[in-house]
């Protein structure tokens, strides 16, 4: 067969074959709403034309992979299971109306004889659920008209029972419960199997199934797609071990979903961080794992492999929260969150074996490098290639000496290449150059740097949340409502187009202070700036003097003081902040 074959089938044609829903699949999750929608989608056109000569009802697609004489349902088990339960309900309703009513052909769509590889015949259900024993049993008992009330309920069993009861109730409500209704029910049954159509996509391998699934669902990130990988990795595992592995896999997924993370994307980070791999696209993940069984060891040492995955997932979740792999807050990872980037996770996962001190040092340099890359608008594709190389080198680092060497030879070297672009970017930086979140980050880092030089690394200055919060605002020294000061500015025609938005015209200030000085001239604002706790703002209009050669004096010595606020003042402060930025992000 071709790699992928597809055509539309009626339910009558589909249920000539046998289907299995494997253990890696999601359980049955349809509620009453979805079951009724499917029934009504068929019933409404049926009422208009019971002969069914000019209508069809398309209910979606399914993806299957043939295994011997069975079709493994990769996607679409919810609608297939529901259609199967509706067939059971129609059969049982007909026989309730007339116990002698012949339903032999209908029965064949529910259960039939299956020829095994050895030639023996086996009587079985058209759909077999393997994801848990209770779900398999309840569907089997419904199919065989046996009492199923004694089966202990889990969420899947409850929904299967409920779907069957919803279908029965629907039939009772729409058709009278007497023998006169039998022909109408049989007509509905005929339309259900002959006019309801499904596109069946058949693939020759699980790898192709994943690609098709990702395309049809336009996401490639759902539980089913991820669990296809689980099936690939652990397909050879014995039943008793599979349950343990499945639980660990579920734990990993729970961690990732709680972190609002795409599991497929995480697996991509995991591959690059742990193995010598080139750049890899998300839609190639399944293929990569299929080709690298020995490198990953998931067949020979499945528990070792899943433990490694689980450990990395836990570390990854911590990184997203701004914590290190030990769950302790890492100021540099918190800072990176303001940059809205994710490529660095590859490096963090590759370095999770480092000591806490070494990891923190690495994070500081990663933050600086990421920001420099963003502000200079360097190509992100090049960054990914670089991080693949760095991940490989980070895995080999085990001591501070080798880490220092890596930082010097790799990170500092790449930063140096961008030094001129960095300085130019800051000389031209304005509010239109970057998103507001990035501008807040820039102003916070500049402000924090001066405060830490003056006061040391105390909690009040260590974390950017002290500078980026609802009580701190971006102050425009030359007001945004510039009409009130236009007559006082030396280049009034360029106020809004240029000077108001310049970085040199911006500073952080407490909201309580800013409220009282909005749209006021510089002469009025000068006194208010002196009340700010932020030294970089306090120093705009007055030299801060605390003793002789104190840490505070040294921290503010390069900050320019302004007696007036004009275009020259803004340009001067812009250059001052550009030079300060080189120190803040450690680039020279």
């Amino acid at each position: 067969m071709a790699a992928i074959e597809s055509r539309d089938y009626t339910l009558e044609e589909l249920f000539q074959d046998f289907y299995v829903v494997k253990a890696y699949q999601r359980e049955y999750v349809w509620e009453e709403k979805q079951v009724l929608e499917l029934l009504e989608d068929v019933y409404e056109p049926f009422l208009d034309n019971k002969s069914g000569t000019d209508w069809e009802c398309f209910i979606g697609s399914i993806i299957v992979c043939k295994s011997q004489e069975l079709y493994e349902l990769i996607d679409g088990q919810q609608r297939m299971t529901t259609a199967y339960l509706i067939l059971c309900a129609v059969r049982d309703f007909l026989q309730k109306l007339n116990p002698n009513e012949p339903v032999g052909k209908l029965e064949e769509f529910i259960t039939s004889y299956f020829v095994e590889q050895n030639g023996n015949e086996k009587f079985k259900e058209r759909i077999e659920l393997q994801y848990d024993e209770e779900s398999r049993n309840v569907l089997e008992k419904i199919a065989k008209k046996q009492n199923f009330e004694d089966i202990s309920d889990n969420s899947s069993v409850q929904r299967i029972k409920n779907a069957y009861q919803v279908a029965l109730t629907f039939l009772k409500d729409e058709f009278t419960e007497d023998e006169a209704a039998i022909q109408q029910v049989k007509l509905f049954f005929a339309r259900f199997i002959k006019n309801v159509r499904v596109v069946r996509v058949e693939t020759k391998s699980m790898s192709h199934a994943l690609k098709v699934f990702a395309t049809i669902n336009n996401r490639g990130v759902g539980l089913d797609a991820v669990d296809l990988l689980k099936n690939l990795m652990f397909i050879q595992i014995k039943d008793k071990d599979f349950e343990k592995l499945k639980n660990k896999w579920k734990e990993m997924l729970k961690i990732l979903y709680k972190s609002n993370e795409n599991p497929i994307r995480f697996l991509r980070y995991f591959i690059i961080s742990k193995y010598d791999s080139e750049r890899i696209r998300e839609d190639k993940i399944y293929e990569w794992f299929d080709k690298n069984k020995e490198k990953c060891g998931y067949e020979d040492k499945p528990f070792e492999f899943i433990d490694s995955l689980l450990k990395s997932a836990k570390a990854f979740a911590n990184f997203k929260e701004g914590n290190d792999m030990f769950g302790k807050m890492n100021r540099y990872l918190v800072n990176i969150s303001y940059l809205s980037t994710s490529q660095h996770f590859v490096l963090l996962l590759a370095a999770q074996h480092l000591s806490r001190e070494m990891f923190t040092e690495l994070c500081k340099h990663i933050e600086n490098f990421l920001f420099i890359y963003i502000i200079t608008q360097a190509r992100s594709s090049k960054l990914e290639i670089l991080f693949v190389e760095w991940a490989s080198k980070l895995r080999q680092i085990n001591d501070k000496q080798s880490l220092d060497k890596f930082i010097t030879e790799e990170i500092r070297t790449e930063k140096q290449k961008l030094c001129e672009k960095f300085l130019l970017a800051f000389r031209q930086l304005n509010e239109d150059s970057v998103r507001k979140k990035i501008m807040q980050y820039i102003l916070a880092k500049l402000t924090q740097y001066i405060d830490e030089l003056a006061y040391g690394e105390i909690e009040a200055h260590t974390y950017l949340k002290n500078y980026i919060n609802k009580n701190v605002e971006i102050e425009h020294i030359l007001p945004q409502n510039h009409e009130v000061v236009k007559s006082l500015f030396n280049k009034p025609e360029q106020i809004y187009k240029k000077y108001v938005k310049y970085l040199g015209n911006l500073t952080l200030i407490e909201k309580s202070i800013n409220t009282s000085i909005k749209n006021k001239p510089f002469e009025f604002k000068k006194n208010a700036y002196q009340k700010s706790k932020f030294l970089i703002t306090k120093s705009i209009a007055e030299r801060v003097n605390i003793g002789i050669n104190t840490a505070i004096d040294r921290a503010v010595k390069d900050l320019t003081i302004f007696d007036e606020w004009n275009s020259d003042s803004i340009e001067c402060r812009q250059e001052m902040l550009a030079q300060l930025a080189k120190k803040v992000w450690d680039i020279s």
Side-chain angles (χ1 to χ4, degrees):
M1 64 172 284
I4 299 171
E5 291 183 353
S6 69
R7 77 172 180 88
D8 66 321
Y9 289 79
T10 63
L11 290 183
E12 183 177 28
E13 294 169 319
L14 276 183
F15 283 109
Q16 300 295 325
D17 295 315
F18 293 88
Y19 301 88
V20 61
V21 182
K22 291 281 192 176
Y24 63 86
Q25 281 278 23
R26 180 188 298 180
E27 63 183 23
Y28 185 73
V29 296
W30 272 23
E31 303 284 358
E32 179 178 352
K33 178 178 180 290
Q34 290 96 337
V35 178
L36 283 174
E37 284 175 353
L38 177 54
L39 284 162
E40 288 165 357
D41 284 346
V42 181
Y43 188 69
E44 287 178 9
F46 165 75
L47 282 179
D48 294 334
N49 186 340
K50 294 181 180 180
S51 67
T53 53
D54 61 353
W55 65 270
E56 289 180 341
C57 178
F58 175 66
I59 62 170
S61 60
I62 63 172
I63 303 172
V64 298
C65 183
K66 195 165 186 179
S67 175
Q68 297 179 356
E69 298 306 314
L70 296 171
Y71 285 94
E72 185 174 335
L73 262 172
I74 308 301
D75 186 42
Q77 75 110 331
Q78 305 294 328
R79 63 178 62 90
M80 282 291 282
T81 303
T82 304
Y84 186 73
L85 288 165
I86 291 171
L87 288 174
C88 293
V90 169
R91 176 202 62 193
D92 297 345
F93 185 62
L94 280 171
Q95 294 205 310
K96 181 182 179 183
L97 297 178
N98 179 9
N100 298 316
E101 184 66 31
V103 290
K105 192 59 184 176
L106 198 167
E107 288 275 17
E108 288 184 16
F109 298 128
I110 299 171
T111 54
S112 188
Y113 284 96
F114 172 78
V115 180
E116 298 180 309
Q117 287 292 307
N118 59 13
N120 293 334
E121 289 188 358
K122 181 180 179 181
F123 190 70
K124 69 188 290 7
E125 302 73 43
R126 293 288 183 182
I127 294 182
E128 180 184 354
L129 307 180
Q130 294 185 352
Y131 46 79
D132 70 61
E133 186 177 350
E134 290 79 10
S135 296
R136 180 174 66 246
N137 287 344
V138 75
L139 191 64
E140 180 182 331
K141 285 182 177 292
I142 290 172
K144 292 180 176 179
K145 296 182 285 187
Q146 297 172 354
N147 179 36
F148 53 80
E149 295 302 328
D150 59 332
I151 297 177
S152 59
D153 282 359
N154 57 35
S155 58
S156 176
V157 169
Q158 287 176 343
R159 292 190 184 100
I160 291 170
K161 289 179 180 180
N162 186 57
Y164 171 73
Q165 294 296 343
V166 167
L168 266 182
T169 302
F170 180 87
L171 295 170
K172 292 175 184 177
D173 291 344
E174 301 300 335
F175 301 97
T176 57
E177 291 192 54
D178 53 46
E179 290 199 21
I182 290 178
Q183 191 55 42
Q184 293 301 308
V185 177
K186 290 169 76 172
L187 270 175
F188 176 76
F189 161 65
R191 299 288 69 78
F192 188 69
I193 63 169
K194 294 179 183 294
N195 290 56
V196 175
R197 305 190 77 88
V198 175
V199 170
R200 187 171 80 180
V201 182
E202 185 177 345
T203 68
K204 68 177 184 180
S205 69
M206 292 290 285
S207 180
H208 283 97
L210 180 63
K211 291 177 186 176
V212 175
F213 178 86
T215 303
I216 289 179
N217 287 276
N218 193 29
R219 61 184 192 270
V221 301
L223 184 63
D224 301 285
V226 178
D227 281 354
L228 284 175
L229 286 168
K230 180 183 70 180
N231 187 57
L232 164 73
M233 294 173 188
F234 307 135
I235 200 166
Q236 306 298 330
I237 303 301
K238 296 176 182 177
D239 288 347
K240 63 182 180 65
D241 289 333
F242 184 80
E243 192 63 29
K244 296 177 185 176
L245 287 164
K246 186 171 75 170
N247 290 336
K248 285 178 178 285
W249 187 270
K250 282 185 176 179
E251 184 182 355
M252 178 192 74
L253 291 181
K254 184 178 179 181
I255 290 168
L256 294 173
Y257 287 129
K258 188 177 179 181
S259 298
N260 197 29
E261 183 54 48
N262 176 332
I264 292 290
R265 187 164 57 224
F266 162 74
L267 288 170
R268 178 174 171 271
Y269 296 148
F270 176 80
I271 289 170
I272 297 172
S273 70
K274 193 169 179 64
Y275 307 104
D276 289 323
S277 172
E278 297 179 354
R279 294 169 65 197
I280 180 171
R281 299 203 318 260
E282 288 180 17
D283 63 351
K284 297 290 184 181
I285 296 292
Y286 188 98
E287 191 175 310
W288 188 93
F289 275 116
D290 195 22
K291 290 180 178 178
N292 290 275
K293 296 180 177 70
E294 293 182 5
K295 181 182 285 190
C296 300
Y298 57 76
E299 283 191 342
D300 297 334
K301 299 178 180 177
F303 282 101
E304 197 172 300
F305 175 76
I306 191 66
D307 285 341
S308 177
L309 262 181
L310 189 54
K311 179 184 176 185
S312 290
K314 290 175 179 177
F316 184 86
N318 275 322
F319 300 154
K320 286 200 74 173
E321 290 293 316
N323 300 323
D324 61 24
M325 49 279 186
F326 307 106
K328 302 294 184 182
M329 185 177 289
N330 181 302
R331 62 181 289 187
Y332 306 110
L333 294 185
V334 173
N335 292 354
I336 290 173
S337 68
Y338 293 105
L339 302 179
S340 300
T341 184
S342 59
Q343 290 168 304
H344 64 292
F345 286 123
V346 166
L347 302 182
L348 302 182
L349 288 171
Q352 61 179 300
H353 64 286
L354 299 179
S355 69
R356 187 180 179 191
E357 292 74 19
M358 291 168 62
F359 185 79
T360 301
E361 179 69 12
L362 175 66
C363 289
K364 178 175 73 174
H365 290 279
I366 290 175
E367 180 203 345
N368 289 343
F369 179 74
L370 283 171
F371 174 73
I372 291 167
Y373 226 81
I374 290 169
I375 202 68
T376 57
Q377 299 181 341
R379 288 189 299 117
S380 60
S381 58
K382 183 183 176 184
L383 185 66
E384 188 166 325
I385 295 170
L386 194 62
F387 281 8
V388 170
E389 296 173 3
W390 285 3
S392 179
K393 293 178 180 180
L394 280 170
R395 288 197 301 273
Q396 313 305 318
I397 293 174
N398 289 303
D399 55 56
K400 189 176 186 305
Q401 184 179 356
S402 56
L403 176 62
D404 291 343
K405 185 181 180 202
F406 171 82
I407 291 170
T408 300
E409 294 182 356
E410 302 295 337
I411 300 181
R412 289 192 185 280
T413 299
E414 290 297 325
K415 281 166 58 177
Q416 188 58 37
K417 294 176 184 177
L418 297 171
C419 184
E420 289 185 16
K421 284 186 176 181
F422 178 83
L423 192 56
L424 179 62
F426 261 88
R427 284 171 172 162
Q428 299 175 346
L429 189 62
N430 63 61
E431 288 183 292
D432 293 334
S433 307
V434 294
R435 291 178 290 110
K436 182 178 180 181
K437 191 175 181 181
I438 297 292
M439 183 59 79
Q440 288 177 311
Y441 166 83
I442 291 169
L443 291 168
K445 287 282 288 186
L446 293 168
T447 307
Q448 179 194 49
Y449 180 81
I450 298 298
D451 287 348
E452 280 198 306
L453 280 181
Y455 305 117
E457 293 187 11
I458 59 176
E459 187 170 345
H461 308 298
T462 300
Y463 299 107
L464 285 192
K465 67 181 180 181
N466 296 311
Y467 301 88
I468 303 176
N469 59 66
K470 63 182 181 180
N471 296 315
V472 178
E473 296 182 338
I474 295 178
E475 150 72 349
H476 294 75
I477 303 170
L478 178 65
Q480 288 177 291
N481 184 4
H482 49 269
E483 292 299 326
V484 295
V485 296
K486 193 172 184 179
S487 61
L488 303 174
F489 196 73
N490 64 318
K491 293 183 179 180
E493 73 284 354
Q494 296 185 52
I495 288 180
Y496 187 72
K497 289 183 179 179
K498 184 176 181 181
Y499 289 104
V500 165
K501 298 180 180 181
Y502 257 9
L503 174 67
N505 188 54
L506 308 177
T507 193
L508 294 184
I509 197 166
E510 295 85 342
K511 183 178 181 179
S512 57
I513 299 175
N514 199 30
T515 302
S516 64
I517 62 173
K518 282 185 177 179
N519 301 321
K520 295 292 192 299
F522 184 66
E523 282 299 319
F524 183 88
K525 291 183 174 185
K526 286 164 63 173
N527 292 332
Y529 293 156
Q530 293 166 22
K531 299 175 184 177
S532 175
K533 65 182 179 183
F534 305 134
L535 288 175
I536 201 168
T537 301
K538 187 188 288 285
S539 298
I540 290 174
E542 179 188 65
R543 173 69 61 193
V544 177
N545 289 310
I546 307 292
I548 300 174
N549 195 31
T550 62
I552 295 177
D553 291 329
R554 293 192 295 273
V556 301
K557 68 181 178 65
D558 293 326
L559 299 180
T560 306
I561 312 303
F562 300 95
D563 295 322
E564 57 181 350
W565 200 250
N566 53 34
S567 62
D568 291 336
S569 305
I570 294 174
E571 289 171 3
C572 176
R573 190 166 183 269
Q574 183 97 3
E575 179 63 25
M576 179 195 79
L577 294 178
Q579 296 300 326
L580 178 61
K582 290 172 63 178
K583 298 177 183 177
V584 173
W585 284 280
D586 191 22
I587 183 170
S588 58

